[in-house]
Structures are given as C-alpha cells and as structure tokens.
Amino acid sequence: MRSRLLRFLVLFTLLPACHSFAQTATASQSQIAQLQSQIADAKSSADNSWMLVSAAFVLLMTGPGLALFYGGLVRRKNVLSILMQCFAMICLITVLWAFISYSLAFDSGSSFIGGLHHIFLHQVGLAPDPDYSATIPLQTFMIYQLMFAIITPALITGAFAERMKFSAMAVFLTLWSIFLYSPMAHMVWGKGGLLNASLGGRFPCLDFAGGTVVHVTSGVSALVCALYLGKRVGYPREAMPPHSMVISFIGACLLWFGWFGFNAGSALGSGPLATSAFVNTHFGAAAAALAWAAAEWMRSGKPSALGFISGAVAGLVAITPAAGFVQPMSALAIGAIAGIVCYFMVVKVKSWFGYDDSLDAFGVHGAGGTLGAILTGIFASSAINPIFKDAKTGATLPSGVIEGNWHQLFNQFMGVIIAWVVSIVGTLILLKLVDLTIGLRVSREHEVEGLDVTQHGEEGYDFAS
C-alpha cells in the first residue's frame, strides 16, 4: 500500500513536467518544420531572382547586343535592316513560343520532339517542375528558355545579311524555329530527349548552355543559307568593310555581359554551379580574344579591334556547352583553341571555298559550337558537375576523357552529327519552300540601293537633317 501511494505521488508530481516537455517537443518540431519551410522559400526566392535576371541578360544579347554587333559590321545602307531582323525575332519567336514552340521543346514526348500538352502555355504555371528545376516556377524556366529560342535564329541573319527580303526572313526563321530549333532543344534538354544527359537520353550529350542546340544549329544553317542565296553583288571583288567598328565593339561588349546569363543562368539556380559557369565563361572569352588577336598579329602585323571582338565571341561560343562541366584552366584551353580555329575558318577556309557568309556566322558559331561540343567531352570533370551516377550504388562516374570516360567523346560526336544533319536537311527544305512561294532574295537593284530604304523606307543615318 505504501509503495502504491509513493508511485502515485511521484506520478502526480511529474505529470505537469511531462506534459510541459511534450508541449515543448511539439513546439520544437513545429518550429523546425517552419524553419525548414523558410529555408526552402529563401532558396527558391534566390534561385528565382537569379533566373529572372539571367533571362533579362540573355534577351539583352539579342537586342541590343547581337543587333549592334551585326549592325556595325554591315554597310551603312543596311544597318537598319539587320537591327530590324534581330528585333523581329524578339517579337515573332515570343508569340510562337507561347503558342506551340515551348510545348514542342519541353513537353514530354518522343525522343525527337515534345508533345502538345503545353500549347498556349497550358499548365505552365508558378509551381516548379522537378524534372527541370525544383526551386523555380515553371513559368520562370519557360521564359528563360524563350530567350535562347529568340537569339538562335537571330544568329543566322549574319549569313544572309544585306540580301534577303524581310518578309522571306520572317517566314523562313519562323518555320526554322518550329521545325529545327524545337526538336533540337527537346533532344538535348527536354524530357525523354535522345541526347539528354540529365534525364537518361540514349546518347547523353553534355551541352550545358547550347553548344549544339544554339550554335551548331544556327551556324550550320547559316552556311546553308549563304550557299543557297549566293554571294552579294560585287563580292568578293568590291571591299565591304564594316561601316562602324564602334557600334560593333559596343555590341560585342554587351554580348559578353549577357553571356553570363546565358551560361551561368543555365545552372537553373544561384548555387556553386552558376559560379563555375560564370568563371568559365569569362576565362574562355578572354583566352579566345587573345588567341585570335595573336594569330592575326603574326599574320598581318597588326591586331585589329574586329579581331579582338570576333575572338571573344568565338570563345564565348566554344565555352557554352562546357561552362558547367569543366575546370577554369580547361576553360582557358578551350577558349585559346577556339580563337585559333575560328580565326582559321574565317580567314582561310571561307576564302578557299569562296562562300559569302556575310558576318561569319558559320566561321564563329558553327565551327566554334562544334569544337566546343567535342572539347566538352574531353575536359568535362565530375568534380564540377557529377552528372553521371552509378544506377545501383549512386556513386559518381567519370564525366570526360581526362577522367577516363572515352565513351563520352562518342556521345558528343553523336550530338554534333545529329545537329549538323538536322540543320542541313531542314534548312534546305525550308529555304526551297519559301523561295518557291514568296522568294528569298531582293532584286539586284534593291540590293545595290540598300535594304534600309528598299525594305523599310528608312535610313539609319540622315546626314541632311
């Protein structure tokens, strides 16, 4: 009886303390859950902020960056025409992206093309899609990818500058965006894509920010356009120097600035991978500019402003697929190689074959993108981006040749070959279709007078006023 009474007294004494402890434990769990939610919200907010800024950076690459870069390289009578073509891409591709192109690129579908579940941006809301990024709204991902879709066809305008009708350009590049860009974007970055390295594609091609999707497709298509349309009137007998290197220089600097959003933004977050891509982008551009300028200096005895800015763009192109996969010293190597190779393509190869790639879209983007995609397979490092994992153990696997993964070089070549084939065949078909319906090239008289007046009824410079 005494022991029962003692247990009752002990229990009666400790009961309030136990109740208080339980309340404290419950409160602690609630506080922990609230804290975890706040941390997740903060990360999402930081990632989303960086991605929206990056999207704006990439838009800046097209206008004013590319527009001014190309605009200064053409003759004075055609400056407005090239600015108009770049600006038209911003408007046309935006509407097209909302209607159907985003769905074709990033909806689940076959290995080659996405489905139609997201036409008119159906179900593209403010919740994340974990397959692409778990910390940013799907609409943020959509608008960021739109900026890539805008600049890619705009790059092609450099090949047929000064001789294609504005109406033909608009129709051709609209069709090109639907039937060439969207499938390539899906194959490399979309769910179920044939070349998607992060979502289990058949041939996992490493393309961090668009070496194959953007630069190979646009550069190779640019070469096809130049060959199909033929040379400008007077080329190569007449000198056709840039009308304003100052404008081109400003454009190149804006491109370099915007490229940080292009490459570092492709990390789809504001973490260490974005830092790596940012650093590599800058290093690759600087090394390529110096390499191009050095090659030009040795050949002609003078380094030119055009050489420096062309080299920088070549380096930015080549580092694009590798930006989130390689070490900084590898980025310097890729940039230096690209500067020399692209210089050789522009100065020697173009003259050997005699094609008129007006603003060297193929020599810089086609050649630089191809080279960068291949070098990515060599220099990729799992220490920067452990993209390949063992299916059973989850252990990190080698990424590139320098780590012993020679098979990755095969995957990179597959990505490049597919991009080349799609670009050549698709561009030829679309050019022929537009040529047979509305015609591609302006008349000889209009070309001599200049596209600013004949296509738009305006002049870039009115010296009489």
Side-chain angles (χ1 to χ4, degrees):
M1 183 67 181
R2 185 181 299 173
S3 62
R4 290 181 180 178
L5 181 60
L6 182 61
R7 285 198 297 267
F8 175 78
L9 290 174
V10 170
L11 181 62
F12 183 78
T13 303
L14 294 179
L15 186 60
C18 292
H19 179 69
S20 176
F21 178 78
Q23 286 182 322
T24 302
T26 302
S28 298
Q29 291 175 351
S30 176
Q31 289 171 347
I32 291 172
Q34 185 179 15
L35 182 60
Q36 289 174 334
S37 176
Q38 290 173 344
I39 292 172
D41 289 345
K43 176 171 175 53
S44 177
S45 179
D47 288 346
N48 195 47
S49 298
W50 168 240
M51 292 309 302
L52 291 174
V53 170
S54 293
F57 279 14
V58 183
L59 180 62
L60 179 142
M61 291 174 67
T62 303
L66 184 69
L68 291 178
F69 181 67
Y70 277 177
L73 296 179
V74 297
R75 289 169 288 181
R76 181 168 58 87
K77 61 185 178 181
N78 295 311
V79 59
L80 276 183
S81 71
I82 201 73
L83 298 180
M84 279 286 289
Q85 289 172 5
C86 290
F87 198 84
M89 286 301 99
I90 295 175
C91 303
L92 284 170
I93 303 305
T94 295
V95 175
L96 194 65
W97 194 249
F99 283 177
I100 190 171
S101 295
Y102 172 76
S103 188
L104 293 176
F106 291 101
D107 187 19
S108 299
S110 70
S111 296
F112 301 97
I113 191 71
L116 298 176
H117 300 98
H118 292 318
I119 59 172
F120 305 111
L121 299 183
H122 177 63
Q123 294 183 339
V124 181
L126 300 180
D129 184 339
D131 286 331
Y132 294 126
S133 176
T135 61
I136 62 172
L138 186 57
Q139 271 192 23
T140 298
F141 176 80
M142 178 276 298
I143 200 71
Y144 178 70
Q145 291 295 338
L146 165 61
M147 304 312 172
F148 284 69
I150 287 171
I151 195 171
T152 306
L155 293 171
I156 304 174
T157 63
F160 54 69
E162 304 191 307
R163 59 195 187 278
M164 184 182 281
K165 295 191 294 186
F166 183 80
S167 57
M169 177 281 305
V171 174
F172 165 65
L173 291 181
T174 296
L175 295 173
W176 189 92
S177 180
I178 296 172
F179 294 107
L180 274 74
Y181 181 83
S182 292
M184 277 305 305
H186 179 77
M187 280 190 275
V188 176
W189 295 326
K191 299 178 185 180
L194 180 70
L195 304 171
N196 193 316
S198 60
L199 295 176
R202 175 68 180 83
F203 302 104
C205 176
L206 298 178
D207 187 353
F208 191 73
T212 51
V213 179
V214 176
H215 298 295
V216 174
T217 54
S218 64
V220 173
S221 296
L223 176 63
V224 175
C225 288
L227 293 172
Y228 188 95
L229 265 72
K231 302 172 185 178
R232 287 168 289 177
V233 174
Y235 183 89
R237 299 183 312 276
E238 299 176 10
M240 299 179 181
H243 90 278
S244 175
M245 277 307 306
V246 173
I247 290 178
S248 289
F249 206 93
I250 295 170
C253 292
L254 289 170
L255 280 171
W256 192 329
F257 176 81
W259 225 291
F260 292 121
F262 198 82
N263 286 355
S266 291
L268 300 179
S270 55
L273 187 58
T275 297
S276 180
F278 195 108
V279 170
N280 290 335
T281 298
H282 192 66
F283 280 20
L290 291 173
W292 185 305
E296 183 182 48
W297 204 339
M298 288 187 290
R299 181 174 181 269
S300 64
K302 296 177 182 178
S304 69
L306 179 57
F308 256 109
I309 63 176
S310 297
V313 173
L316 291 165
V317 168
I319 199 60
T320 290
F325 294 113
V326 302
Q327 301 275 5
M329 294 300 103
S330 297
L332 286 172
I334 291 171
I337 296 169
I340 295 170
V341 171
C342 291
Y343 172 77
F344 180 77
M345 292 296 298
V346 168
V347 173
K348 287 293 186 182
V349 174
K350 186 168 76 167
S351 63
W352 288 347
F353 291 94
Y355 56 86
D356 184 12
D357 178 5
S358 306
L359 308 181
D360 296 312
F362 172 71
V364 173
H365 296 276
T370 299
L371 178 67
I374 295 169
L375 292 177
T376 300
I378 296 174
F379 290 107
S381 169
S382 59
I384 298 299
N385 192 339
I387 192 168
F388 297 128
K389 303 281 188 178
D390 186 278
K392 294 181 179 179
T393 65
T396 300
L397 298 176
S399 294
V401 170
I402 59 172
E403 294 184 333
N405 182 12
W406 284 87
H407 188 71
Q408 190 55 40
L409 200 56
F410 169 79
N411 293 332
Q412 297 303 113
F413 272 106
M414 284 299 299
V416 167
I417 290 169
I418 290 171
W420 271 73
V421 172
V422 168
S423 300
I424 292 171
V425 175
T427 302
L428 277 173
I429 292 172
L430 295 179
L431 285 173
K432 191 65 176 178
L433 177 64
V434 176
D435 199 13
L436 289 173
T437 52
I438 64 175
L440 285 169
R441 188 160 179 165
V442 299
S443 66
R444 181 184 179 88
E445 293 74 18
H446 284 186
E447 185 176 336
V448 171
E449 187 176 357
L451 273 60
D452 288 0
V453 172
T454 61
Q455 295 294 298
H456 306 293
E458 300 173 296
E459 290 184 87
Y461 307 97
D462 185 0
F463 294 112
S465 61

